[in-house]
Amino acid sequence: MDFDHYYSNIDIFDLKTPFFKIMNTQLALKDIVKAKSRIDGVINETPVITSSLLNAWLGHTIYFKAEGFQKIGAFKARGASNTIAWLIENDLTPKHIVANSSGNHAQAVAWAAKRFNIPATIYMPAYASKVKIQATKAYGAEVILCQTRQEADALVKQTSEEKSIYWIPPYNHEQVICGQGTAAFEAIKAIGSVEAVFAPCGGGGLLSGSLIAAKGLSKTTQVIGAEPLMGNDAAESLRKNTIQHLTEAPKTLADGAMTLAVGDITFEYLKQLDGFYEITEEAIIYWTQWLTHLLKLRIEPTSALSMEAAFQWLQKQQQKQTVVIILSGANIDQETTKKIWENDCLTTEPYKR
Amino acid sequence: MDFDHYYSNIDIFDLKTPFFKIMNTQLALKDIVKAKSRIDGVINETPVITSSLLNAWLGHTIYFKAEGFQKIGAFKARGASNTIAWLIENDLTPKHIVANSSGNHAQAVAWAAKRFNIPATIYMPAYASKVKIQATKAYGAEVILCQTRQEADALVKQTSEEKSIYWIPPYNHEQVICGQGTAAFEAIKAIGSVEAVFAPCGGGGLLSGSLIAAKGLSKTTQVIGAEPLMGNDAAESLRKNTIQHLTEAPKTLADGAMTLAVGDITFEYLKQLDGFYEITEEAIIYWTQWLTHLLKLRIEPTSALSMEAAFQWLQKQQQKQTVVIILSGANIDQETTKKIWENDCLTTEPYKR
């Protein structure tokens, strides 16, 4: 398939190279810096915000990197645009770009392809929300609706066997990872230094990129992940030291973390995390409401994962900490919003929980 | 009452001065500029944002002044802080500040009083939402819960008869008006120039201030107001050329525009508006969802009023227009949020409406 053709390190993984060899090619801060300069002026340098009330309540300083203000409303724009810019930089500009996704990655690839004037086709399962299908079309991509996710996956693979067509996968790709890592990089640069970085885990792209950026800037910075307890394949994979696959999409409200399995590339980075939390749906609802209320932003439930992880981690700390939470994005449909706001969590302040 | 004592122009209105005399003392751009310099560094200069998708759909350029990022999450912080700063500037610093409100004004006075180290007491009706009572207390004010709004009104009047106590009313006060006007002033200065400014109408403070700022900067800029059709006392007042009073709080979702009547000061400015729209609850729900979705912000329903007014006004324009919409704030409780997201409006794009 053509994806291999363009992919610099694919041989290593095709040959099932042992871990030490992967370590040799491990991405480093310089790769994040390159990605950052590649996408400067293409993506938004999103604001870092804080809530003095929340800080006072919790006794720590929490910064939020608001990726809801990113192009397409989620961090995914970083990885997609970095990958295309990197292809162009290496004289590998494809004639056509394809992707398969039911969510933010679909929109990110549609937007980035248009930004670089390359036609794009996105294979989406028909069950994807109307709003997301609509947005993907609005960014100018051709959308092909498939009966199932499996059909979308098969079609994108088949299509990308054509040499001139490039498939941008959602997370298991070094340039996607480096792009996503620019969010943590920008945030830490803006803040100065932090004791810990928190990010949610779907396929592990954002978390891998955050790890490379944060550890590259300071080895003592902890990088901590979070995923829904209802879809805890990454936690299980880390416990068993081998990638675990869910058999069907978990029914979590955190739809950005529904991925069935992490990738072989991202898994190697996830193993290096300082902590990993499995978050209940109750906590996802609680923090989606509270972060919306305190920060005055549209907050997608996936963003609440890292807040609950930070909340639990901060409670164990003896000294005042400064941390950054990557808010993944702000794309939610009406149905999910309705579920989030069914009951009132705002009557119980975080310090009373 | 002491409010009179501190209030520069009160004599005029007490004597039922005819309109020409009021015109003589009319506030002007210089008063907005003074307010702006008084509260610089105290309030936030909020961002002006735009949605390229919405602009493409409607064929015009719409800027949004995001007062949800203002201190206390609403434009009300401007009027409250300007009033206190103006008192201090005129050696009239009170020993205590009082206010009566069930909403954003309560939080604004609590916050501003604390900011200037003056103790504050806020009289709130017991039916006010728990979240708003909680926030008012969190800003450091004493909160006295009253059985009814009438009791709160009576108590604040009684208390403010004491010379050293100052009552900051929610809208019918020149310095409150000038403070609110700094939002439109900042926005137009940032954008360059606009054909029209849209703001919601509760008691008319924001709209009066916006009118003074916009007309002061350019006489040809249109200033247009909007209020809920369910509580259209201002529209009725303008039609009958005399202030009309609602007998009970209207059951609109736009809780920032539930005011029973405009003030005698604000009414004189409202008469000078270029247009005024009465908005259905359906349109309030529609635009609260769509602005939340497109701008990735927490949007209070009151902010949707001006968007629908702009939408209707823009449809009548022959040429491409550049307008600014003042988003009043981002304070909503769970109950209102739940009502807003009951049904899906995101499946009908604005251009299809």
Side-chain angles (χ1 to χ4, degrees), chain B residues 41-194:
Chain B
V42 175
I43 57 137
N44 296 333
E45 175 145 356
T46 53
V48 173
I49 56 179
T50 191
S51 162
S52 51
L53 192 54
L54 183 65
N55 291 342
W57 280 343
L58 301 187
H60 297 282
T61 305
I62 304 175
Y63 290 101
F64 296 92
K65 178 71 169 166
E67 286 294 290
F69 292 127
Q70 190 47 268
K71 302 285 184 191
I72 74 112
F75 73 90
K76 293 274 186 185
R78 296 177 181 269
S81 58
N82 180 53
T83 304
I84 301 178
W86 168 82
L87 288 169
I88 295 168
E89 189 181 290
N90 289 282
D91 289 330
L92 294 166
T93 314
K95 286 217 173 70
H96 204 103
I97 287 170
V98 293
N100 51 332
S101 162
S102 59
N104 287 336
H105 181 62
Q107 296 175 59
V109 173
W111 163 81
K114 174 145 196 197
R115 176 66 182 71
F116 290 103
N117 294 312
I118 301 170
T121 302
I122 315 291
Y123 296 86
M124 298 181 84
Y127 64 74
S129 83
K130 254 186 107 171
V131 162
K132 283 174 183 177
I133 295 169
Q134 180 192 81
T136 307
K137 285 181 183 168
Y139 290 119
E142 177 193 24
V143 171
I144 295 181
L145 291 179
C146 307
Q147 289 293 336
T148 61
R149 178 63 190 248
Q150 285 74 7
E151 191 190 325
D153 292 352
L155 272 171
V156 79
K157 268 187 196 166
Q158 193 187 316
T159 315
S160 63
E161 277 162 22
E162 178 67 45
K163 272 227 168 198
S164 57
I165 298 177
Y166 194 85
W167 173 28
I168 304 183
Y171 49 86
N172 205 40
H173 184 299
E174 291 199 338
Q175 293 310 319
V176 171
I177 291 170
C178 288
Q180 321 302 34
T182 59
F185 178 81
E186 282 175 13
I188 299 169
K189 282 282 189 185
I191 299 161
S193 76
V194 295

Side-chain angles (χ1 to χ4, degrees), chain A residues 201-202 226-236 239 244-261 276-285 301 305 308 339-340:
Chain A
C201 184
E227 76 178 345
L229 180 61
M230 278 187 77
N232 61 347
D233 60 287
E236 283 289 310
R239 273 190 285 268
Q244 303 296 305
H245 295 257
L246 297 174
T247 48
E248 59 180 46
K251 298 204 184 336
T252 174
L253 286 167
D255 61 347
M258 277 180 169
T259 322
L260 299 181
F276 201 86
Y277 288 81
E278 296 157 84
I279 312 297
T280 64
E281 295 300 299
E282 195 190 347
I284 291 170
I285 293 171
L305 292 171
E308 173 65 10
K339 283 179 192 160
I340 290 288

